Amino acid sequence: MSIGKKNHPPCWLDWLLERFCAPHLWEEVQGDLHERHQLRSKRTSKQKADWLYFRDTISYLRLSIFKRTDSPKPILTDMLRNHLTIALRNLTRNKTYSVINIGGLAVGMVVAMLIGLWIYDELSYDTYHPNYEHIAQVMDTRTFNGESTTSDLGAIPLANELRTKYANHFEHVSLVWKNYTHVLAVGDKKVAQSGVWTQPEFPEMLGLHMIKGSRGALKDPSSVLITNSLSKALFGEKDPLGQIIRIDNMAEVKVAGVFEDLPKNSTFYETKLFLAWDKAVSTFGGGVKEAQADWDYRNWRIFVQLKEGTDIHTVNNIVKHIAQPHIKEGKEEILLYPMSQWHLYNQFENGQVAGGRIQFVWMFGIIGVFVLLLACINFMNLSTARSEKRAKEVGIRKAIGSVRTQLIGQFLSESVLISFLALVLALAFLWISLPFFNQIAYKEIHITWASISFWTIILGFTVLTGLLAGSYPAFYLSSFETIKVLKGALQIGRLATLPRKALVVTQFTVSVTLIIGTIIVYQQIQFAKDRSVGYNREGLILIHMNTPELYDTPYNFLRSQLLLTGAVKDMARSSDPTTDVSYIEKNISWKGKDPSLVPLLGSFAVTHDYGNTLGWQIKEGRDFSREFPTDTGSVIINEAAAKLMGLKHPVGEHLSSPGQPDRIITGVVKDMIVTSPYQATMPMLYMLEYKWSNFIMVRLSPSLSAHEALERIEPVFKKINPGSEFDYTFVDEEYAHKFSDEERIANLATIFTTLSIFLSCLGLFGLASFMAEQRIKEIGIRKVLGASVFSLWQLLSKDFVLLVSVAFLIAVPVSWYFSNSWLQQYEYRTSIAWWVFIASGAGALLITLLTISFQTLKAASRNPIKSLRTE
């Protein structure tokens, strides 16, 4: 009933009634009261009718009117249920596209998850240690000839000075030897494990999680701390505390503590035992004792733990120049490098931090985002391509009152539902692929299924993925005009397909860029591998001299015993392995030397047979020979050293060093790679010196297999070194370790690139399938008019070929820019060849044609009669 404003009852009474009356009664009660008010107004007066309206309204203030019935279900819940029901119907009705959407999203999500876990592992490196934020390593930057080099090795007096003169800044200061493999013997049981000699403060600094014993046990020089796994390997279930272990057959130590194995994402993962520093001093004597006051003998790592609240930058400024007064040449600066930077920023250039693995974290992070984006693009493309099929649904919904926001909500609900279905599949893929991924990435990544944080992140990630994938289709589909749709006048024009084409171009731009980038990474690795190392690595093994027996065995006796086996071509000793150098000589002088030049030459002590065993190539002069007794004081240099010295005819020249007798250059050898294969060859000196040997190098006879040769020489070593296992490494395996990081990254990049191509092709397959279905009548008519299968295949394929071609043109400059920037970090690097771009583009095109040809040929080969009946 319509009530004029003049005869309307008091509004405040209506307001009051609306507030206290139950919603399901309010309309009925108010209607009755209004009717009565109208009748009374006609029969009496408006004033009296208002008074009676007031009385009647107040009479309704009772419990039965207040009482609410069961609350209706929230409208939002109804809407969501409705949206999910429709979404499930659409999924089951279009099984092919549902599989492509869910499968594609699942693949994208699992790649993003794996990369996310990898990045988390990288960023959380070393956080296992409780003092992570306060631990720093002392880095030593030395400047000669205007060039600065940074090393993690320091001198013993430096550690002592930090400990005594700057004690107010440090909780602990500790010297640590490099990790070496030690032979551990308990009774007849012998195992080889890596360990360090360290001062007692170091286990406390690392916060080792002790299972038995104490972290401070190394105050007793005869003590050792071992990992739990090593304890089980040596003692089984027996209590290890107090047990005696013989180390390298030269010292006995007592187990004073067992600690939890360090995780793989710890810098000290390889360290399985900690030995007391004082024990090393008493065991090795001479060299270590002499180094106590030698500021120029840098062979140890120094770690510090800052006191709580101490600012590392302030302390760095204080200690920066403390070594300078004690050195004779060049400049030296000290840097306390925080543990949080060790893993990701481990490269220095001219004394400054120049990046490191952080570039891979960024690279894989970007790849992860792009791969997920590719999966979302598939969803967007298929949804918008099929828009005509859902246009009527949109029109009807709008006609019965749905507003655009409700339609957007519906389509977003569908995409979120698909995202959650993909999540289930992705978690299954993740669980299956994680062990394989760990093996390739050399990680120990675990999924914390019980973690609330993990599920919070996963659910947030899934909703975000669903919203991202569904955003464009939701806004696009909800924009259809009702009248056009219901009249069948909706035309999806060519302009409407432009966004979809742009997304396809984006997909293939990313894929082609990844293909080109991955090929260039492999090219760089292969380029370094193909570089001549200057010697023959095949059949060459190294044995670390880690027991007194090996040091005490006369050189010629051991060599003759090995040669008698018939399994050895030759044998030599050296101070360092062929793949590393520990001592840099900088005090060498020669005739005509520039007084301002401080030459940095790697120094090797070798025996007479080193060159023959190694297979080096003499470029000038001759090799060391027993026929020349004067060779004891001679030296052989490499080509890089001759170039550094500026000597046109170096053979016969004298090299002098303070406190040392002059040495005569007897030969020049071809440059050999000792350090990084990505850097220029280091100038080297090879001095004939038997006393400084630490490694035995054996060239196996090529007439026998490596297995047979090793079986023959093992008894020789067991006889002269009964306290140790025959432990050796192949030089080519040691050399291969120099490429391990790059190869690992390349393998991961290959996997992610392959998956990105797969996702792009999956999207194309879906689009091609839909396009063929949409144009089936046109194809039938063309066939009736005489079109061949090949011409129809051309017709259906040309659009995709054009899109991939555009993507290729965009990808070429992008990939060149990033690849070239990456290569700049290597001193020895490959050039970017033009054929890489052509091959990548041709490969992408071929894959595209293979992907779409199945659908296009299937459509083109169809019987036109059946096609024309399809309508």
Side-chain angles (χ1 to χ4, degrees):
M1 177 182 287
S2 175
I3 303 174
K5 189 175 180 181
K6 185 178 176 183
N7 295 322
H8 199 285
C11 291
W12 67 275
L13 287 172
D14 279 350
W15 178 86
L16 180 67
L17 186 67
E18 187 177 345
R19 291 294 176 276
F20 70 73
C21 190
H24 68 287
L25 298 174
W26 171 72
E27 192 173 352
E28 182 182 350
V29 169
Q30 190 188 49
D32 292 345
L33 289 176
H34 279 191
E35 282 185 15
R36 283 188 212 168
H37 181 270
Q38 290 297 311
L39 288 173
R40 285 166 181 161
S41 296
K42 290 177 182 175
R43 290 173 183 172
T44 59
S45 63
K46 171 74 166 54
Q47 187 178 10
K48 189 172 181 179
D50 286 350
W51 163 248
L52 292 173
Y53 187 84
F54 170 75
R55 187 197 64 184
D56 292 344
T57 302
I58 298 301
S59 69
Y60 274 105
L61 296 178
R62 55 181 187 267
L63 184 62
S64 59
I65 299 297
F66 285 136
K67 190 176 179 182
R68 267 60 176 168
T69 57
D70 292 341
S71 299
K73 293 181 180 178
I75 294 174
L76 182 61
T77 309
D78 287 341
M79 287 176 61
L80 284 175
R81 189 176 60 183
N82 178 263
H83 291 168
L84 292 177
T85 303
I86 292 173
L88 287 172
R89 284 175 183 166
N90 277 323
L91 287 175
T92 51
R93 193 179 299 138
N94 305 290
K95 294 184 178 60
T96 303
Y97 302 112
S98 300
V99 169
I100 291 174
N101 274 335
I102 296 173
L105 268 184
V107 172
M109 289 170 81
V110 79
V111 170
M113 286 180 194
L114 285 172
I115 290 179
L117 289 169
W118 184 86
I119 290 176
Y120 175 77
D121 188 79
E122 289 287 310
L123 296 179
S124 62
Y125 214 86
D126 282 328
T127 52
Y128 170 85
H129 302 289
N131 299 317
Y132 165 79
E133 293 181 352
H134 304 290
I135 295 176
Q137 184 171 10
V138 178
M139 305 298 287
D140 182 279
T141 300
R142 309 197 71 199
T143 304
F144 299 102
N145 311 318
E147 289 188 14
S148 299
T149 55
T150 302
S151 164
D152 62 350
L153 298 178
I156 293 177
L158 175 60
N160 294 337
E161 185 140 328
L162 290 172
R163 187 182 293 111
T164 54
K165 294 186 179 178
Y166 302 91
N168 54 328
H169 300 300
F170 303 115
E171 194 73 38
H172 298 296
V173 177
S174 179
L175 280 160
V176 181
W177 284 50
K178 286 183 185 176
N179 243 355
Y180 282 115
T181 300
H182 299 276
V183 178
L184 314 178
V186 175
D188 294 332
K189 188 179 289 182
K190 299 183 182 69
V191 296
Q193 287 290 355
S194 294
V196 295
W197 304 90
T198 181
Q199 293 180 314
E201 297 88 349
F202 196 55
E204 188 65 39
M205 286 170 62
L206 294 183
L208 299 180
H209 297 179
M210 300 304 294
I211 296 172
K212 292 181 178 178
S214 162
R215 285 198 288 256
L218 294 186
K219 290 174 184 172
D220 176 2
S222 63
S223 298
V224 62
L225 303 180
I226 61 176
T227 61
N228 192 37
S229 60
L230 179 57
S231 169
K232 290 188 181 306
L234 288 173
F235 307 108
E237 297 304 320
K238 192 176 174 183
D239 185 2
L241 291 185
Q243 299 291 332
I244 302 297
I245 301 176
R246 187 156 183 81
I247 304 289
D248 298 331
N249 207 27
M250 59 183 173
E252 289 188 345
V253 291
K254 182 174 62 182
V255 178
V258 177
F259 59 93
E260 184 181 87
D261 285 63
L262 296 172
K264 243 178 185 171
N265 64 351
S266 166
T267 299
F268 304 96
Y269 166 70
E270 300 286 348
T271 306
K272 306 299 180 188
L273 66 154
F274 292 91
L275 295 152
W277 176 271
D278 290 341
K279 187 73 174 178
V281 174
S282 62
T283 303
F284 298 114
V288 184
K289 287 179 181 174
E290 290 171 7
Q292 300 290 322
D294 189 348
W295 282 83
D296 277 328
Y297 193 7
R298 301 169 187 81
N299 196 37
W300 295 273
R301 295 184 292 171
I302 304 171
F303 295 93
V304 300
Q305 181 185 336
L306 295 164
K307 284 191 173 176
E308 194 79 27
T310 304
D311 179 40
I312 192 168
H313 301 293
T314 306
V315 183
N316 262 327
N317 289 331
I318 295 171
V319 303
K320 188 175 182 180
H321 300 293
I322 64 173
Q324 187 65 41
H326 305 280
I327 62 169
K328 298 168 187 171
E329 292 179 286
K331 286 175 59 181
E332 183 168 355
E333 291 184 354
I334 301 304
L335 172 70
L336 303 181
Y337 202 49
M339 193 177 218
S340 58
Q341 306 285 302
W342 294 356
H343 182 66
L344 296 178
Y345 300 89
N346 58 348
Q347 292 179 1
F348 287 80
E349 195 172 310
N350 275 331
Q352 302 296 319
V353 178
R357 288 178 67 90
I358 188 66
Q359 63 176 323
F360 296 126
V361 172
W362 279 108
M363 184 179 82
F364 281 124
I366 293 170
I367 289 176
V369 171
F370 273 121
V371 172
L372 185 62
L373 187 63
L374 296 183
C376 291
I377 287 175
N378 281 348
F379 182 89
M380 293 176 187
N381 274 344
L382 284 178
S383 299
T384 54
R386 299 182 63 251
S387 57
E388 282 186 23
K389 287 185 177 292
R390 299 198 67 177
K392 284 186 179 176
E393 178 191 337
V394 173
I396 292 170
R397 282 183 173 276
K398 281 191 171 182
I400 61 176
S402 290
V403 294
R404 191 179 179 193
T405 52
Q406 289 174 321
L407 290 170
I408 291 173
Q410 177 196 335
F411 291 121
L412 287 178
S413 301
E414 288 183 21
S415 63
V416 171
L417 173 68
I418 290 174
S419 181
F420 272 95
L421 293 175
L423 172 66
V424 176
L425 203 57
L427 289 175
F429 286 160
L430 183 66
W431 180 69
I432 293 169
S433 61
L434 196 55
F436 174 67
F437 181 79
N438 275 334
Q439 194 175 356
I440 292 178
Y442 193 62
K443 294 279 186 188
E444 259 180 3
I445 297 172
H446 301 286
I447 301 174
T448 50
W449 296 105
S451 166
I452 294 175
S453 302
F454 170 76
W455 286 109
T456 304
I457 294 171
I458 286 295
L459 293 178
F461 163 73
T462 306
V463 172
L464 188 66
T465 303
L467 294 177
L468 177 66
S471 56
Y472 175 59
F475 285 97
Y476 176 72
L477 293 175
S478 63
S479 67
F480 291 164
E481 293 179 27
T482 312
I483 296 176
K484 286 186 178 178
V485 169
L486 295 181
K487 284 184 176 178
L490 179 69
Q491 295 293 324
I492 308 297
R494 294 182 69 84
L495 287 177
T497 63
L498 278 180
R500 195 157 62 243
K501 289 179 178 176
L503 292 175
V504 172
V505 169
T506 305
Q507 279 188 312
F508 273 87
T509 300
V510 172
S511 298
V512 174
T513 302
L514 288 176
I515 292 172
I516 293 172
T518 305
I519 291 175
I520 290 175
V521 170
Y522 273 111
Q523 271 194 319
Q524 170 63 11
I525 295 171
Q526 198 56 47
F527 183 70
K529 279 186 172 178
D530 291 342
R531 184 180 177 186
S532 172
V533 293
Y535 60 91
N536 181 12
R537 301 193 303 273
E538 192 175 347
L540 202 59
I541 64 170
L542 277 175
I543 298 114
H544 186 202
M545 297 169 64
N546 56 358
T547 64
E549 287 79 1
L550 286 176
Y551 280 100
D552 295 340
T553 302
Y555 173 81
N556 288 329
F557 172 76
L558 176 60
R559 182 166 178 266
S560 63
Q561 291 295 306
L562 290 172
L563 291 175
L564 282 174
T565 63
V568 172
K569 188 177 177 185
D570 209 342
M571 183 215 92
R573 283 180 177 174
S574 62
S575 57
D576 294 272
T578 53
T579 52
D580 197 10
V581 57
S582 61
Y583 185 70
I584 306 297
E585 180 63 70
K586 61 181 182 303
N587 295 317
I588 293 290
S589 293
W590 57 91
K591 186 179 177 181
K593 172 180 171 292
D594 181 353
S596 65
L597 177 68
V598 181
L600 302 178
L601 298 117
S603 180
F604 261 52
V606 300
T607 57
H608 279 97
D609 311 292
Y610 186 80
N612 188 46
T613 306
L614 188 64
W616 66 15
Q617 300 173 38
I618 298 291
K619 302 297 288 186
E620 192 176 338
R622 60 173 176 79
D623 200 348
F624 296 124
S625 172
R626 291 183 176 82
E627 297 177 2
F628 297 89
T630 54
D631 276 2
T632 306
S634 64
V635 64
I636 288 177
I637 63 175
N638 67 352
E639 292 174 307
K643 185 178 178 183
L644 175 70
M645 294 174 185
L647 299 174
K648 289 184 180 177
H649 303 288
V651 176
E653 293 288 340
H654 287 245
L655 301 181
S656 61
S657 179
Q660 300 289 329
D662 285 2
R663 290 181 180 271
I664 303 172
I665 300 175
T666 59
V668 178
V669 294
K670 184 179 177 181
D671 286 339
M672 296 183 288
I673 299 174
V674 178
T675 54
S676 170
Y678 300 107
Q679 296 175 349
T681 308
M682 174 178 277
M684 295 290 300
L685 298 176
Y686 297 92
M687 296 178 289
L688 191 61
E689 184 58 72
Y690 280 63
K691 291 186 294 185
W692 300 343
S693 299
N694 291 312
F695 290 87
I696 297 170
M697 184 169 60
V698 177
R699 168 76 66 189
L700 301 179
S701 172
S703 60
L704 298 174
S705 68
H707 179 71
E708 288 174 319
L710 290 170
E711 275 190 341
R712 290 195 190 184
I713 64 175
E714 183 176 1
V716 176
F717 280 97
K718 283 196 169 181
K719 185 178 178 182
I720 64 168
N721 189 27
S724 174
E725 292 292 310
F726 176 47
D727 190 30
Y728 59 89
T729 56
F730 279 92
V731 170
D732 54 355
E733 290 178 353
E734 287 291 310
Y735 187 76
H737 286 162
K738 295 178 182 291
F739 303 94
S740 57
D741 274 352
E742 281 75 9
E743 286 185 323
R744 211 168 283 136
I745 296 299
N747 290 337
L748 289 175
T750 303
I751 292 172
F752 297 141
T753 301
T754 305
L755 289 174
S756 74
I757 296 168
F758 169 74
L759 285 173
S760 300
C761 292
L762 195 64
L764 273 190
F765 182 83
L767 280 179
S769 173
F770 176 77
M771 185 192 66
E773 178 186 326
Q774 197 181 32
R775 300 177 71 175
I776 192 69
K777 192 174 179 182
E778 176 194 344
I779 294 169
I781 293 172
R782 285 179 181 273
K783 286 199 76 172
V784 169
L785 295 175
S788 66
V789 172
F790 180 70
S791 64
L792 289 172
W793 173 79
Q794 280 184 308
L795 175 73
L796 297 173
S797 303
K798 66 179 182 182
D799 285 347
F800 294 109
V801 172
L802 180 64
L803 294 179
V804 174
S805 301
V806 172
F808 170 71
L809 293 177
I810 298 173
V812 167
V814 174
S815 55
W816 181 88
Y817 173 78
F818 286 106
S819 301
N820 189 56
S821 302
W822 177 74
L823 284 173
Q824 295 307 311
Q825 67 177 311
Y826 298 104
E827 196 172 351
Y828 187 83
R829 56 180 177 270
T830 184
S831 56
I832 301 177
W834 61 268
W835 66 262
V836 173
F837 300 99
I838 301 298
S840 301
L845 196 60
L846 180 64
I847 293 171
T848 301
L849 289 175
L850 289 175
T851 304
I852 62 175
S853 290
F854 175 75
Q855 290 295 346
T856 53
L857 288 175
K858 182 180 170 186
S861 306
R862 196 171 179 181
N863 188 336
I865 298 173
K866 290 183 179 178
S867 301
L868 293 173
R869 282 178 180 170
T870 303
E871 199 66 17

